[in-house]
Amino acid sequence: GKWKNKERVLIFSSRGINFRTRHLMQDLRTLMPHSKADTKMDRKDQLFVINEVCEMKNCNKCIFFEAKKKQDLYMWLSNTPQGPSAKFLVQNVHTLAELKMTGNCLRGSRPLLSFDPIFDREPHYALLKELFIQIFGTPQYHPKSQPFVDHVFTFTITDERIWFRNYQIIEEDASLVEIGPRFVLNLIKIFQGSFGGPTLYENPHYQSPNMHRRLVRLSVAAKFREKQQVKEVQKIKKKGTKVLVEEDPTEVVFETPAEEKPVEIQLVKPESKPIVKDKKKLRKIQRKKQKKLFRTEG
């Protein structure tokens, strides 16, 4: 057959990404034979420059990874140069090289795309579904692709986020084994143009990472403040005077008095014990006296 669908995807990033994002970007390039690579873009450049880069590379789709503060990762999916484009916050990234992923697939094989039924109910999800199909679907009869289908890309919506998974199809029993990579996309905005323009949809459930970190710090500070207040209250209680509680007369109603034992008084003087003297000591004393007498007489 002839290669009619000439979709080409440019996958690159901005400067300042960490090693995990770099491995994720490389994994997407290996899984998508219709993708192209480019050098990292400078942070100072505007995002509209990416349209010119895609035109120079002869690409009509783009996946751009944008790193901020060396800890937050954003992903742009765009149809260049007309649009639309979508911006996501990427969370929970796991790459192909991790030992948990035990599956394997043929390099350059075409994937099946599996979507959650919610993609057909909401209009903004339907737009994202079409964007995902055009970007992640390998064109038929592509020169670098293989004529086999042995893995599935799944897009599932849970907790207002899109969960991406890649599974291998085992031929014997058609069971699925995860290959990787895996990541979670938290939708921020959908724009009419490519990397900008009027906003078509804004996610009301989205919370920025800065706000999340701020709320975590405030909760920790509130717990610390509460502990300090408890300690101060305990100190005040210890220093304060003790309040004497009046005796309740009803407390003694059911108490039974103990039996009084008669006191025994000894009227007779106890007999004195006989003093037993040592006979040997008496003899020694008598001998000493006799010796003194002999000395005085002599």
Side-chain angles (χ1 to χ4, degrees), residues 61-195:
K61 298 289 184 295
C62 180
I63 299 177
F64 177 67
F65 291 96
E66 186 181 7
K68 290 184 178 179
K69 294 188 176 181
K70 296 183 179 180
Q71 53 184 344
D72 302 329
L73 178 64
Y74 298 92
M75 178 193 284
W76 285 85
L77 300 179
S78 176
N79 180 21
T80 58
Q82 289 86 13
S85 59
K87 185 180 181 182
F88 301 92
L89 174 68
V90 186
Q91 299 170 325
N92 302 336
V93 177
H94 297 273
T95 58
L96 271 169
E98 294 187 10
L99 297 175
K100 294 179 183 176
M101 315 297 183
T102 56
N104 194 7
C105 68
L106 187 67
R107 186 184 178 93
S109 61
R110 299 180 65 222
L112 292 174
L113 299 181
S114 173
F115 291 92
D116 196 284
I118 304 175
F119 277 98
D120 298 326
R121 299 174 193 168
E122 301 290 337
H124 59 281
Y125 283 137
L127 177 62
L128 290 177
K129 178 181 177 181
E130 186 63 31
L131 198 61
F132 288 146
I133 290 172
Q134 294 181 14
I135 290 176
F136 290 97
T138 303
Q140 194 175 12
Y141 305 118
H142 192 276
K144 292 183 181 179
S145 67
Q146 300 289 338
F148 304 107
V149 177
D150 60 351
H151 64 286
V152 187
F153 288 162
T154 61
F155 299 89
T156 312
I157 297 173
T158 308
D159 194 21
E160 304 296 335
R161 291 169 174 81
I162 301 171
W163 300 64
F164 176 85
R165 296 288 184 271
N166 181 20
Y167 295 99
Q168 174 196 358
I169 304 172
I170 299 175
E171 295 180 2
E172 287 78 12
D173 52 353
S175 59
L176 300 178
V177 179
E178 189 169 359
I179 304 172
R182 58 157 70 172
F183 52 86
V184 180
L185 299 175
N186 191 358
L187 178 63
I188 303 173
K189 283 183 181 181
I190 301 176
F191 299 97
Q192 186 176 352
S194 177
F195 296 98

Side-chain angles (χ1 to χ4, degrees), residues 243-287:
V243 181
L244 295 174
V245 183
E246 296 181 358
E247 292 184 359
D248 190 5
T250 58
E251 286 183 357
V252 203
V253 172
F254 297 102
E255 287 185 1
T256 54
E259 295 180 357
E260 296 181 357
K261 294 182 179 180
V263 182
E264 295 181 356
I265 301 171
Q266 288 185 351
L267 300 175
V268 183
K269 185 180 178 181
E271 296 180 356
S272 59
K273 292 181 180 179
I275 299 169
V276 179
K277 294 182 179 180
D278 194 0
K279 295 180 179 180
K280 292 182 179 179
K281 286 184 179 180
L282 291 173
R283 290 174 185 172
K284 286 180 182 179
I285 294 167
Q286 289 176 0
R287 285 174 188 171

